[in-house]
C-alpha cells in the first residue's frame, strides 16, 4: 500500500475506451442471462433440477463477470510488457461464480427477508473484489504492483454497495410488477450488477500503481492479445445467449407441460365434481375414464372400472337390450338419449336420463364415446308432488275440482259403461261462515278435515270424492239400477245414509258441533256424453234449491230448475235490451176522491214484449232487483213520469193531477238519488208539488238516517212522499213519527177482506186513525167493490185506487178519458 506513489516514481497505465465499453456490455449480457434464470428456477418443483439451473445461471453470470475483468485488464495499457499466470487467472473466476450463485439462490425464493438479501449483496461484492484482485495478482511484469489505500478500500466499498443495490433492485421490481415482468426486473438488476462490476474494476485499476524495474523495456503490441480479448468476450456473450435461449425453451416446455397438466387435472376435477355420472368409453365399449359419481353408483373404484367393458355392468334394467339399442343409434346418428331405469350397486332401480355421444378428435382418427347418467329421482318426486298438489286439496288431501272433472270425463268417455246411471252429489255445510266467525278459522278447518275423512269412507271402486272449494264437497259414482225410477230410489237411499253419517255430531277441539248439510244430487246417464260443466251446473241448481229450502233434505235435480234458470237468464238479457231500446211503457191507475173525481194516478211500468206479449211486472221486477237492472229501470220510470207531468202542466184539466212513482230500495240508496230526481224535474220543467214518490217500509231497515235526510232534501223542493203497503212491513212507529211523509197507503191485503167482517176492518181503522193523528192523507189500494168503498168511507178514508174506479191504462187513454168525459172520465176506465 502506498500513501504517496510519486515518491517511488510509480506509474499508471491508460484504458482503451472501446475495450472498456465492450467489457461493460459483456458484463451486462452475462448478468442479464444469469438473473433471467431466476423466474425459471422459482417455478421448478424438482430440487435437483433447480440446483442445475442455478449452477448454470451462476456460471454464465460468473463467466461474464470474469470476461469483463479479463477484457478490462487487456484494455489497460502500460509502458512495459505484461503477461498473466494462467492458473491464477483461471482461479479468479471462482469467486465471481460463487458470488453470483449466492445472489441467485436468494432471489429465487418467494419472499426472502432483508438479512439474506444483504448477505447476498455483500457476498456478490466480495466475490467481485476477490476475482479482481486475484486476477491482478496473476499479472507477470517487470514492475512492482502497489495500491493506493484509499482507492483500494473505495473499490471494495463500490463492489459491496452496488452488489447490495443490485439485489434490492431486483427484489423491489419483482414486488411491484410481479413474476409476469421478471425480464424487466432482471434487466434493471443487470444494469446495477454490470455497473457494480465495472465500477469496482476501474476504481481498483485507478488504485493500482506500478514501479518499473531498471531493465524494463517498452512493450511490443501483439495482435494475438486482441484476438484473445475478442475470443473470451465472444465466448462470454455466446454463453449468455445460449443461456437465454435455453431458458426460453425451458419456459416453453414448462408452460406446455403445466398447461397440459392443468388441463388434465382440472378436467378430472371438474368431472369428479359433477353429481351426474360421467363415463368415457372406447370403440369396444371399454371404460377409459369415469368420475366419482359413477364409482359410487357401480360400487367399484376407478382402477377397477378402467378397462372393464360396459357389458359387464348391470347399469340398467335389461341393460343388454338397451346397449344394443344404443349401439344402433350411435351407428346411425352418433348420439342417443332417453329415460331409463338405472340400477345402483345394490340392484335398486331409479329413474335416470342417459345420453351417449360420439367424441371425434381433431388430431386423431380414434373415436371415443362419452355417456352422461343423471339421477332424476328428485325431479320425479317433485313432479309427482306437483301433480298431487294440482289434483288434491291441501287441507283435506282429497281430490280437488280438477280431479273430479277428469273423473266425470272418464265416465262420459267410457264406450261400454258397466252401469247405465251415475250420480254427482254436492254437499254444502250450512252456516259455515258463522262457525268460522264465532270459533275461528282453525275450528272451521278442523270441521272440513273431519268431514273429508268421513266422506272418504264412502269411496268405492268407481266412486270418487272431492273438495271443490270453501265448504263445498262432491261425490261422484255409479248406480247399480238400470231403470230411472229405481235409480232415483237407490240414490235417495244412499244419499240419506251418507248425509246421516256426515251430519253425526262433531267434536272440534273440545267444541261439539251439530253439522247440517245442504245437498244437491244429479242423476245422469254416462252414455249421453254430457259436458262436465253441464253436469256441475245441474248439480249446482239442485244444491241451490236445497239452500233455499234449508230443511236439510237432499234435493234431486229437476229439469224445471234448469228451464227456469235459462228462462231467467233469457229474460234478463231481453229486459236489458228493452230498457236500452225504450221498449217499456208506463200504465197509469187513477186515484179518486170521495166524489169519484180523478185527482191523480199511480204509474205502473209495463213491458210489451215483441214475442212474449205483455209481461207482468211481478215476473220481471224481481229479476231486475237481483241483477241490478232495477237502477236503469227506475231511472227510466222517473224520466218518463216527469215527462208526463211536464206535458200535463200545459193541458187544462190535467194540470192539477198528482202522479205517484214507485222507487225501489236500491234506487233510493244511491248516494246521488236526490240530485238525480231534482235534475230530472228541472229537465222536464215539472211542478215538483205534483210529484209523489212511493217508498216501501223495507227502506227504513237499511239506513233510516240517510233515508230521512234525502226525503227532507226533496220535500224541501216540493216533492211528496207516500209510504206504500203500510202495515205489511217492519217499520217502527218511532221512525214513522219522524219520517217526512205526506201519505199512507193501505195495502190491498187489508182492503180485500173489509166486506167480510174479519180482522181487516179494525186494522184498516187503526191505520186510518194513525194517519189522521199524524196529519197524513190515506189512500186505499185494491178497492174493487162498492162495499169496500163504503166501509173505508165510514172509517174516514176518502181517497181510493182500484179496479172499481179504473184499471191501469196508458197515459194517452187516461188523458183522453179525463178530457173527453170531464171529472167522470173514470167511469170509462173502470169498464
Amino acid at each position: 500500500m502506498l500513501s504517496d506513489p510519486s515518491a517511488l516514481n510509480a506509474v499508471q497505465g491508460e484504458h482503451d475506451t472501446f475495450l472498456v465499453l465492450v467489457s461493460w456490455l459483456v458484463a451486462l449480457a452475462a448478468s442479464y442471462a444469469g438473473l433471467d434464470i431466476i423466474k425459471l428456477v422459482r417455478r421448478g418443483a424438482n430440487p435437483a433440477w433447480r440446483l442445475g439451473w442455478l449452477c448454470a445461471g451462476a456460471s454464465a453470470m460468473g463467466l461474464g463477470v470474469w470476461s469483463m475483468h479479463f477484457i478490462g485488464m487487456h484494455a489497460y495499457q502500460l509502458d512495459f510488457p505484461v503477461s498473466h499466470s494462467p492458473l491464477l487467472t483461471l482461479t479468479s473466476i471462482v469467486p465471481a461464480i460463487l458470488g453470483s450463485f449466492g445472489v441467485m439462490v436468494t432471489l429465487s425464493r418467494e419472499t426472502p427477508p432483508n438479512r439474506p438479501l444483504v448477505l447476498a449483496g455483500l457476498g456478490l461484492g466480495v466475490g467481485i473484489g476477490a476475482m479482481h484482485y486475484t486476477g491482478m495478482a496473476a499479472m507477470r511484469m517487470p514492475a512492482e504492483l502497489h495500491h493506493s489505500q484509499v482507492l483500494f478500500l473505495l473499490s471494495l466499498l463500490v463492489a459491496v454497495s452496488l452488489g447490495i443495490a443490485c439485489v434490492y433492485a431486483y427484489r423491489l421490481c419483482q414486488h411491484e410488477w410481479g413474476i409476469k415482468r421478471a425480464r424487466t426486473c432482471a434487466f434493471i438488476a443487470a444494469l446495477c450488477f454490470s455497473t457494480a462490476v465495472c465500477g469496482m474494476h476501474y476504481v481498483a485499476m485507478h488504485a493500482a500503481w506500478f514501479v518499473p524495474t531498471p531493465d524494463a523495456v517498452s512493450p511490443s503490441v501483439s495482435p494475438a492479445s486482441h484476438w484473445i480479448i475478442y475470443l473470451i468476450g465472444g465466448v462470454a456473450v455466446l454463453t449468455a445467449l445460449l443461456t437465454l435461449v435455453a431458458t426460453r425453451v425451458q419456459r416453453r416446455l414448462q408452460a406446455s407441460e403445466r398447461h397440459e397438466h392443468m388441463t388434465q387435472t382440472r378436467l378430472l376435477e371438474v368431472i369428479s365434481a359433477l353429481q351426474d355420472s360421467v363415463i368415457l368409453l372406447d370403440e369396444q365399449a371399454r371404460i377409459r375414464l369415469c368420475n366419482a359419481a359413477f364409482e359410487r353408483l357401480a360400487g367399484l373404484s376407478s382402477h377397477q372400472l378402467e378397462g372393464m367393458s360396459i357389458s359387464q355392468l348391470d347399469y340398467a334394467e335389461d341393460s343388454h337390450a338397451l346397449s344394443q339399442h344404443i349401439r344402433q343409434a350411435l351407428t346411425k346418428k352418433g348420439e342417443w338419449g332417453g329415460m331409463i331405469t338405472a340400477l345402483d350397486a345394490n340392484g335398486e332401480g331409479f329413474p335416470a336420463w342417459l345420453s351417449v355421444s360420439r367424441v371425434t378428435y381433431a388430431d386423431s382418427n380414434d373415436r371415443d364415446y362419452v355417456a352422461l347418467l343423471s339421477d332424476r329421482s328428485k325431479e320425479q318426486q317433485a313432479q309427482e308432488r306437483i301433480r298431487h298438489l294440482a289434483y288434491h286439496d291441501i287441507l283435506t288431501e282429497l281430490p280437488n275440482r280438477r280431479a273430479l272433472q277428469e273423473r266425470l270425463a272418464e265416465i262420459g268417455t267410457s264406450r261400454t259403461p258397466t252401469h247405465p246411471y251415475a250420480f254427482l252429489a254436492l254437499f254444502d255445510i250450512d252456516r259455515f261462515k258463522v262457525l268460522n266467525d264465532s270459533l275461528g278459522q282453525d275450528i272451521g278447518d278442523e270441521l272440513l278435515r273431519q268431514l273429508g275423512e268421513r266422506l272418504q269412507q264412502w269411496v268405492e271402486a268407481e266412486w270418487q270424492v272431492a273438495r271443490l272449494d270453501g265448504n263445498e264437497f262432491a261425490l261422484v259414482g255409479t248406480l247399480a239400477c238400470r231403470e230411472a225410477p229405481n235409480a232415483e230410489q237407490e240414490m235417495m237411499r244412499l244419499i240419506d245414509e251418507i248425509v246421516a253419517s256426515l251430519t253425526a255430531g262433531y267434536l272440534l277441539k273440545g267444541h261439539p258441533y251439530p253439522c247440517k248439510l245442504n245437498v244437491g244430487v244429479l242423476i245422469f246417464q254416462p252414455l249421453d256424453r254430457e259436458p262436465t260443466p253441464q253436469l256441475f251446473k245441474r248439480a249446482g241448481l239442485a244444491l241451490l234449491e236445497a239452500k233455499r229450502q234449508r230443511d236439510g233434505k237432499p234435493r234431486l235435480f229437476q229439469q224445471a230448475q234448469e228451464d227456469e234458470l235459462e228462462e231467467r237468464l233469457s229474460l234478463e238479457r231481453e229486459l236489458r235490451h228493452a230498457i236500452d231500446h225504450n221498449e217499456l211503457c208506463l200504465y197509469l191507475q187513477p186515484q179518486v176522491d170521495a166524489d169519484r173525481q180523478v185527482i191523480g194516478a199511480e204509474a205502473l211500468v209495463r213491458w210489451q214484449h215483441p214475442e212474449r206479449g205483455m209481461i207482468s211486472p211481478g215476473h220481471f221486477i224481481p229479476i231486475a232487483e237481483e241483477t241490478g237492472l232495477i237502477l236503469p229501470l227506475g231511472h227510466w220510470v222517473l224520466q218518463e213520469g216527469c215527462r208526463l207531468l211536464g206535458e200535463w202542466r200545459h193541458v187544462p184539466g190535467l194540470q192539477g193531477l198528482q202522479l205517484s212513482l214507485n222507487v225501489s230500495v236500491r234506487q233510493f240508496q244511491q248516494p246521488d238519488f236526490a240530485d238525480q230526481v231534482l235534475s230530472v224535474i228541472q229537465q222536464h220543467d215539472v211542478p215538483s208539488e205534483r210529484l209523489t214518490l212511493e217508498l216501501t217500509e223495507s227502506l227504513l231497515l237499511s239506513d233510516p238516517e240517510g233515508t230521512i235526510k234525502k226525503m227532507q232534501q226533496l220535500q224541501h223542493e216540493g216533492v211528496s212522499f207516500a209510504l206504500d203497503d203500510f202495515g205489511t212491513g217492519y217499520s217502527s212507529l218511532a221512525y214513522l213519527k219522524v219520517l217526512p211523509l205526506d201519505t199512507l197507503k193501505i195495502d190491498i191485503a187489508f182492503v180485500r177482506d173489509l166486506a167480510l167482517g174479519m180482522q181487516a176492518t179494525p186494522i184498516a181503522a187503526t191505520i186510518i186513525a194513525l194517519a189522521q193523528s199524524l196529519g197524513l192523507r190515506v189512500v186505499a189500494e185494491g178497492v174493487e167493490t162498492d162495499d169496500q168503498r163504503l166501509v173505508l168511507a165510514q172509517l174516514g178514508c176518502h181517497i181510493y185506487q182500484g179496479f172499481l174506479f179504473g184499471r191501469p191504462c196508458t197515459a194517452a187513454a187516461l188523458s183522453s178519458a179525463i178530457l173527453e168525459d170531464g171529472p167522470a172520465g173514470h167511469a170509462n176506465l173502470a169498464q
Side-chain angles (χ1 to χ4, degrees):
M1 294 294 176
L2 292 177
S3 58
D4 185 11
S6 60
L8 298 177
N9 295 321
V11 298
Q12 288 185 313
E14 295 180 356
H15 286 89
D16 186 338
T17 305
F18 176 73
L19 292 178
V20 170
L21 179 62
V22 170
S23 67
W24 179 76
L25 291 177
V26 169
L28 178 64
S31 58
Y32 175 76
L35 293 173
D36 188 51
I37 294 178
I38 293 176
K39 177 181 177 181
L40 185 65
V41 172
R42 184 175 295 167
R43 290 182 174 179
N46 190 333
W49 183 90
R50 285 167 55 90
L51 180 61
W53 277 103
L54 284 173
C55 292
S59 298
M61 192 172 175
L63 178 61
V65 171
W66 180 83
S67 298
M68 177 269 159
H69 167 73
F70 186 82
I71 295 172
M73 291 294 293
H74 282 76
Y76 194 71
Q77 299 175 359
L78 293 169
D79 295 333
F80 42 84
V82 179
S83 61
H84 297 273
S85 172
L87 181 61
L88 196 58
T89 300
L90 291 176
T91 304
S92 65
I93 197 174
V94 175
I97 294 175
L98 292 177
S100 300
F101 184 79
V103 170
M104 294 186 64
V105 169
T106 302
L107 293 180
S108 63
R109 298 176 184 176
E110 287 293 335
T111 55
N114 289 323
R115 180 180 177 84
L117 290 175
V118 173
L119 291 177
L122 181 62
L124 178 62
V126 171
I128 294 172
M131 176 205 67
H132 176 79
Y133 288 108
T134 302
M136 293 287 289
M139 296 177 65
R140 299 292 181 262
M141 55 190 169
E144 293 181 1
L145 175 62
H146 299 272
H147 294 278
S148 172
Q149 184 176 3
V150 175
L151 292 178
F152 174 79
L153 295 176
L154 180 62
S155 66
L156 294 178
L157 179 62
V158 169
V160 172
S161 300
L162 291 179
I164 296 174
C166 167
V167 173
Y168 271 97
Y170 186 91
R171 182 68 186 91
L172 290 175
C173 292
Q174 181 194 37
H175 178 73
E176 292 295 329
W177 296 332
I179 196 68
K180 292 183 179 181
R181 301 181 65 179
R183 292 192 183 92
T184 305
C185 298
F187 182 76
I188 293 174
L191 285 175
C192 295
F193 184 80
S194 60
T195 303
V197 174
C198 291
M200 186 274 164
H201 175 84
Y202 291 109
V203 170
M205 293 303 295
H206 190 64
W209 290 87
F210 301 90
V211 180
T213 60
D215 57 348
V217 297
S218 298
S220 60
V221 180
S222 176
S225 63
H226 289 285
W227 285 109
I228 293 174
I229 292 171
Y230 296 142
L231 177 63
I232 292 176
V235 169
V237 172
L238 182 61
T239 302
L241 291 176
L242 290 176
T243 303
L244 290 175
V245 172
T247 304
R248 178 65 60 87
V249 171
Q250 184 62 32
R251 283 200 186 100
R252 291 286 181 89
L253 292 175
Q254 278 186 343
S256 177
E257 182 181 354
R258 184 167 57 253
H259 179 72
E260 181 180 359
H261 175 72
M262 291 178 65
T263 302
Q264 292 180 352
T265 303
R266 289 187 177 183
L267 178 61
L268 291 174
E269 290 177 353
V270 169
I271 293 176
S272 298
L274 293 176
Q275 298 298 320
D276 299 332
S277 298
V278 180
I279 313 102
L280 184 64
L281 307 168
D282 60 14
E283 289 190 288
Q284 285 73 40
R286 292 178 301 217
I287 299 175
R288 295 187 59 186
L289 179 68
C290 63
N291 65 347
F294 186 72
E295 293 178 25
R296 292 191 296 269
L297 179 65
L300 299 173
S301 66
S302 60
H303 298 291
Q304 294 174 309
L305 290 170
E306 288 180 6
M308 182 182 294
S309 176
I310 197 68
S311 61
Q312 298 178 252
L313 298 175
D314 292 331
Y315 64 93
E317 292 183 354
D318 197 6
S319 57
H320 180 72
L322 178 62
S323 298
Q324 293 291 338
H325 180 66
I326 294 175
R327 189 174 292 108
Q328 294 174 3
L330 292 175
T331 303
K332 294 179 181 179
K333 302 179 180 179
E335 60 181 5
W336 182 89
M339 289 294 298
I340 65 170
T341 301
L343 300 177
D344 59 14
N346 299 323
E348 297 181 1
F350 61 91
W353 175 266
L354 175 63
S355 61
V356 185
S357 302
R358 182 188 297 143
V359 180
T360 303
Y361 300 103
D363 57 349
S364 174
N365 293 327
D366 295 339
R367 291 191 300 181
D368 290 337
Y369 298 89
V370 61
L372 181 66
L373 185 67
S374 303
D375 187 354
R376 298 295 176 86
S377 300
K378 293 182 178 180
E379 294 181 15
Q380 189 178 67
Q381 293 173 0
Q383 291 176 356
E384 291 176 356
R385 178 59 179 167
I386 292 173
R387 179 175 176 81
H388 179 81
L389 294 175
Y391 285 90
H392 288 79
D393 173 57
I394 298 177
L395 178 64
T396 62
E397 291 296 327
L398 294 178
N400 58 12
R401 181 184 292 272
R402 181 179 180 182
L404 188 65
Q405 288 174 338
E406 293 190 3
R407 173 59 181 153
L408 287 171
E410 291 175 3
I411 295 176
T413 56
S414 177
R415 295 186 177 181
T416 56
T418 56
H419 302 283
Y421 288 97
F423 71 90
L424 172 61
L426 301 182
F427 304 86
D428 177 86
I429 302 176
D430 192 41
R431 294 172 57 82
F432 181 74
K433 186 176 185 303
V434 176
L435 173 66
N436 266 347
D437 295 342
S438 59
L439 298 181
Q441 189 172 353
D442 57 335
I443 299 296
D445 291 345
E446 180 63 24
L447 174 61
L448 295 175
R449 279 191 290 266
Q450 291 189 25
L451 191 146
E453 292 174 358
R454 295 188 185 185
L455 197 57
Q456 183 70 35
Q457 296 174 359
W458 287 92
V459 175
E460 299 179 358
E462 298 185 2
W463 289 27
Q464 182 169 326
V465 64
R467 182 193 176 195
L468 302 183
D469 49 39
N471 60 324
E472 188 172 327
F473 293 79
L475 179 65
V476 63
T478 56
L479 298 173
C481 296
R482 297 185 174 273
E483 301 295 333
N486 296 335
E488 289 188 7
Q489 293 177 4
E490 180 188 359
M491 183 69 252
M492 295 309 296
R493 179 183 58 79
L494 282 172
I495 205 67
D496 286 341
E497 294 179 4
I498 294 172
V499 171
S501 67
L502 297 180
T503 55
Y506 288 83
L507 188 63
L508 308 176
K509 296 184 178 180
H511 300 277
Y513 182 74
C515 181
K516 182 180 178 182
L517 298 177
N518 300 312
V519 185
V521 183
L522 169 68
I523 299 176
F524 63 97
Q525 292 180 285
L527 286 176
D528 291 343
R529 307 286 194 270
E530 293 182 280
T532 301
Q534 180 78 354
L535 300 178
F536 270 103
K537 185 187 78 170
R538 292 179 174 178
L541 290 174
L543 178 61
L544 182 61
E545 181 62 24
K547 289 181 179 179
R548 289 175 182 169
Q549 300 299 328
R550 299 181 67 94
D551 55 4
K553 294 182 180 180
R555 290 293 188 276
L556 279 174
F557 168 76
Q558 304 296 332
Q559 185 59 43
Q561 297 172 349
E562 188 174 25
D563 295 341
E564 180 184 356
L565 176 62
E566 293 178 355
E567 172 68 17
R568 290 174 66 85
L569 293 176
S570 176
L571 198 61
E572 177 187 346
R573 291 193 301 270
E574 294 173 356
L575 177 59
R576 190 182 303 274
H577 181 273
I579 296 173
D580 295 339
H581 295 79
N582 203 26
E583 294 180 0
L584 304 174
C585 62
L586 282 185
Y587 273 48
L588 305 181
Q589 187 173 28
Q591 295 175 344
V592 302
D593 57 12
D595 298 328
R596 297 197 175 191
Q597 292 186 354
V598 179
I599 61 174
E602 179 182 358
L604 305 172
V605 65
R606 292 293 185 266
W607 181 11
Q608 183 66 38
H609 195 278
E611 297 178 0
R612 301 172 185 259
M614 185 65 71
I615 300 179
S616 169
H619 196 185
F620 68 82
I621 291 296
I623 295 177
E625 292 278 3
E626 292 178 8
T627 61
L629 289 175
I630 195 65
L631 296 178
L633 177 60
H635 188 71
W636 180 87
V637 170
L638 180 63
Q639 284 276 3
E640 187 67 12
C642 289
R643 185 188 65 80
L644 287 176
L645 284 174
E647 292 178 356
W648 288 352
R649 70 173 300 179
H650 302 293
V651 180
L654 301 178
Q655 297 174 341
L657 294 181
Q658 193 82 13
L659 183 62
S660 298
L661 303 178
N662 290 283
V663 178
S664 69
V665 174
R666 291 190 62 178
Q667 183 183 6
F668 193 90
Q669 288 175 342
Q670 295 300 303
D672 60 342
F673 173 74
D675 296 333
Q676 291 181 26
V677 174
L678 296 176
S679 176
V680 174
I681 289 175
Q682 184 178 4
Q683 176 184 350
H684 295 283
D685 195 17
V686 174
S688 57
E689 65 275 5
R690 297 301 175 189
L691 177 63
T692 299
L693 300 180
E694 294 192 6
L695 310 177
T696 59
E697 296 181 7
S698 59
L699 183 65
L700 302 176
L701 297 177
S702 57
D703 183 17
E705 294 181 358
T707 300
I708 293 172
K709 183 177 179 180
K710 293 176 185 177
M711 291 175 66
Q712 290 175 343
Q713 181 181 352
L714 291 173
Q715 194 178 56
H716 180 72
E717 299 296 332
V719 180
S720 302
F721 287 94
L723 189 60
D724 197 12
D725 302 334
F726 183 76
T728 61
Y730 308 95
S731 61
S732 168
L733 293 180
Y735 283 128
L736 187 62
K737 182 178 65 175
V738 298
L739 283 175
L741 294 171
D742 301 283
T743 304
L744 286 182
K745 298 188 73 173
I746 303 175
D747 188 75
I748 189 174
F750 303 119
V751 175
R752 184 186 302 116
D753 299 329
L754 285 178
L756 302 178
M758 302 176 67
Q759 295 180 353
T761 301
I763 294 176
T766 302
I767 294 174
I768 294 170
L770 177 62
Q772 291 174 349
S773 65
L774 295 175
L776 305 177
R777 293 193 309 167
V778 182
V779 178
E781 291 183 303
V783 180
E784 299 179 355
T785 65
D786 198 56
D787 292 338
Q788 294 171 346
R789 184 191 64 81
L790 291 174
V791 174
L792 289 169
Q794 293 174 359
L795 295 176
C797 177
H798 304 294
I799 302 176
Y800 315 106
Q801 177 183 338
F803 290 170
L804 178 63
F805 309 101
R807 294 178 177 275
C809 62
T810 64
L814 179 63
S815 301
S816 298
I818 295 176
L819 295 176
E820 291 176 4
D821 300 334
H826 65 278
N828 294 330
L829 296 172
Q831 295 178 355

